[in-house]
Amino acid sequence: MTASARTAADTSESPEDDNGSRRRSVALAVISSAQLMFLLDATIVNVALPDIQESLRLDGSALEWVVASYSIAFGGLLMLGGRAGDILGRRRLFMTGVAVFTVASLLGGFATEAWLLTVCRTAQGVGAAAASPAALSLIAVTFPEGPGRNRAVGWYTAVATAGGGVGLLAGGLITVYLSWRWVMFVNVPLGVAILAVGAGVLRETPRARGAFDVLGAVTGTLAALLLCFGLIDGASGGGNWSSAPVLGALGTAAVLLPVFVLIERRSAQPLVPLRLFVDRTRLGTYAVTALISTAVFGIFFFLTLFLQQVWDYSPLRTALVYLPLTCLLVIGAKAGSPLLALFGTRALVCGGLLVATTGILWLARIGESDGYATGMLVPTVLTYAGLGVTGVPLTLAALSRVADEDSGAASGLVNMARQIGGATGLAVLGAVAWSSGAGGSGEAGAGLSTGVARGFAVAAGLTLLALCVAAATLPRKGR
């Protein structure tokens, strides 16, 4: 080929490459916005909890279910959602999940009874469970492994991480100037925009061949749902572990889990390919992610109650307290990719967890008479700065060397670890806080202060355990 011919060919290919790059950028924005919406919804309700409690006359355990019902459905159905995307098409499942989430948000805003709000929150979790693993796997198949995927995951993690803080800030503003109902309504325009833009830029992915693993789907999904239910219900109201529903749920989950594993070993098209667990790094990543979520989700819930009911903060002031912390998470997520290249996976994750554990231990000393600067600001800055840098290396390690046909299942397991960890966090920290004198109604005073501080001490132990698992399983260098 002559030089002029090569030049002409390069020129003709350039617009196509530019169009492809722009399409991938818009697709990344759509995918990241959806994940932001799902995580925003996990925290936007937190700031409005006291108003919801007063409006619907809920006690402390019932209030936990407003938050936990979303996490139970989200975490319990992620395995099913991840594999369904592989088989049915990730774009199709992503769009369907966003639509279900949007409709459930609209209906939840009109709820006048606690049970109806809980049902709508559960439906939101169902929609998120369908769309979230499809979102992350769409990134995995759109961006080849390497620097391009690293940058995409960095943006995705930063935007998704911002969802928690944006939710807290938006929850405060909405609760003060509108009403708690708008913490549900706010998802509607965002969901509609994602559906409208996503229809034009997202492309369907190749589908995995084979029949759907119905038996595995039933046993695995029931096991995850019953496990979350048993943990949450057992911890509600200071501890209810001996009740028949709790024992039945946990006992059935204990039976179904090994049955599920046996089914998956024999299935030609398993819901969760067991080969994903052969890699020690990936298995360690799931465990570390779950432990971090267990600690952090409980901290969000009880710190919000502490600020408003012990320190007498308004919802808006509570939201503003979280604003700089959210910035730290976003900065940490954006810095994760270059720091990963500099320090490697193990050093970066372990270093971040060590800083976070120090911050949470300091936060466990919080009390009624403490000041904001030393009682909360410094320890939470350490906590969020440490956790912020762990998101990118953990996500990349979980998706590394995963075949395209398994990317949905692998993504579902990452998100499942986060959501079940979050539900477990409410159970573990809730059991400690309510049984330490906080009271089932979550009333302010010395009881709540003592209970929350002890719950934070447990959270510090969990992040320390995550650090030990990371040191034992993660590779020194990013892969």
Side-chain angles (χ1 to χ4, degrees):
M1 181 182 290
T2 65
S4 59
R6 285 195 299 268
T7 302
D10 292 341
T11 302
S12 64
E13 291 174 359
S14 178
E16 182 178 347
D17 292 342
D18 290 342
N19 290 336
S21 178
R22 283 194 295 269
R23 184 191 61 79
R24 285 192 295 269
S25 297
V26 176
L28 178 60
V30 169
I31 294 167
S32 300
S33 297
Q35 190 67 5
L36 181 147
M37 181 174 68
F38 302 145
L39 294 182
L40 179 151
D41 203 71
T43 58
I44 193 172
V45 173
N46 278 14
V47 177
L49 286 175
D51 280 40
I52 294 174
Q53 184 177 32
E54 181 179 356
S55 174
L56 301 181
R57 298 179 182 179
L58 307 177
D59 61 15
S61 59
L63 192 63
E64 285 185 23
W65 278 104
V66 172
V67 178
S69 58
Y70 180 75
S71 293
I72 290 173
F74 197 171
L77 296 172
L78 275 167
M79 283 194 302
L80 180 60
R83 201 54 179 172
D86 291 337
I87 296 175
L88 302 177
R90 296 174 190 121
R91 178 187 182 276
R92 174 183 298 176
L93 207 65
F94 174 82
M95 301 291 281
T96 301
V98 172
V100 170
F101 185 94
T102 303
V103 172
S105 299
L106 179 64
L107 297 178
F110 291 111
T112 56
E113 298 289 340
W115 68 266
L116 182 56
L117 179 59
T118 303
V119 167
C120 291
R121 291 281 292 164
T122 303
Q124 285 181 311
V126 172
S132 187
L136 190 53
S137 59
L138 281 170
I139 290 179
V141 298
T142 302
F143 295 89
E145 195 164 348
R149 182 185 292 184
N150 290 2
R151 287 191 295 271
V153 170
W155 277 108
Y156 172 87
T157 305
V159 172
T161 300
V166 171
L168 291 167
L169 179 60
L173 292 170
I174 288 170
T175 304
V176 170
Y177 294 109
L178 296 171
S179 77
W180 69 263
R181 298 184 181 281
W182 282 91
V183 302
M184 304 290 287
F185 289 145
V186 72
N187 295 317
V188 177
L190 182 56
V192 170
I194 291 171
L195 291 171
V197 179
V201 299
L202 296 178
R203 294 180 180 175
E204 191 56 273
T205 56
R207 303 179 189 180
R209 296 180 180 179
F212 192 74
D213 181 16
V214 176
L215 193 57
V218 172
T219 54
T221 300
L222 279 178
L225 288 171
L226 289 171
L227 177 62
C228 289
F229 172 83
L231 289 171
I232 294 295
D233 200 39
S236 298
N240 191 32
W241 298 104
S242 61
S243 70
V246 171
L247 292 176
L250 294 178
T252 305
V255 172
L256 287 176
L257 283 172
V259 172
F260 171 70
V261 173
L262 290 175
I263 292 172
E264 297 305 278
R265 290 183 63 182
R266 299 177 180 181
S267 175
Q269 191 69 36
L271 181 70
V272 178
L274 297 183
R275 56 183 173 270
L276 292 175
F277 297 101
V278 174
D279 188 307
R280 188 183 69 168
T281 293
R282 191 174 301 114
L283 188 60
T285 299
Y286 294 149
V288 171
T289 300
L291 287 168
I292 291 174
S293 297
T294 300
V296 172
F297 204 88
I299 289 175
F300 263 130
F301 182 89
F302 287 103
L303 187 57
T304 300
L305 290 181
F306 179 89
L307 290 174
Q308 295 190 40
Q309 298 184 356
V310 177
W311 282 3
D312 200 28
Y313 278 25
S314 67
L316 180 58
R317 190 177 181 186
T318 301
L320 293 174
V321 163
Y322 285 116
L323 184 59
L325 307 179
T326 304
C327 294
L328 282 173
L329 285 175
V330 175
I331 292 171
K334 282 301 297 172
S337 184
L339 289 176
L340 178 62
L342 185 62
F343 295 107
T345 301
R346 185 188 301 174
L348 182 58
V349 173
C350 289
L353 288 174
L354 180 61
V355 173
T357 301
T358 302
I360 299 173
L361 280 173
W362 189 339
L363 192 61
R365 298 168 55 87
I366 197 169
E368 292 181 82
S369 59
D370 287 329
Y372 166 70
T374 57
M376 181 182 166
L377 179 61
V378 176
T380 50
V381 164
L382 290 173
T383 301
Y384 283 72
L387 294 176
V389 299
T390 64
V392 170
L394 287 174
T395 302
L396 288 172
L399 296 178
S400 177
R401 297 192 292 193
V402 174
D404 284 350
E405 62 268 21
D406 291 336
S407 63
S411 303
L413 287 170
V414 173
N415 287 297
M416 181 180 174
R418 291 193 183 110
Q419 294 306 316
I420 289 187
T424 306
L426 274 182
V428 174
L429 271 68
V432 173
W434 299 136
S435 63
S436 298
S441 64
E443 58 194 21
L448 180 60
S449 179
T450 301
V452 167
R454 291 178 181 176
F456 290 166
V458 173
L462 293 170
T463 54
L464 183 60
L465 178 58
L467 190 158
C468 295
V469 174
T473 60
L474 297 184
R476 287 187 175 89
K477 295 182 179 181
R479 297 186 305 183

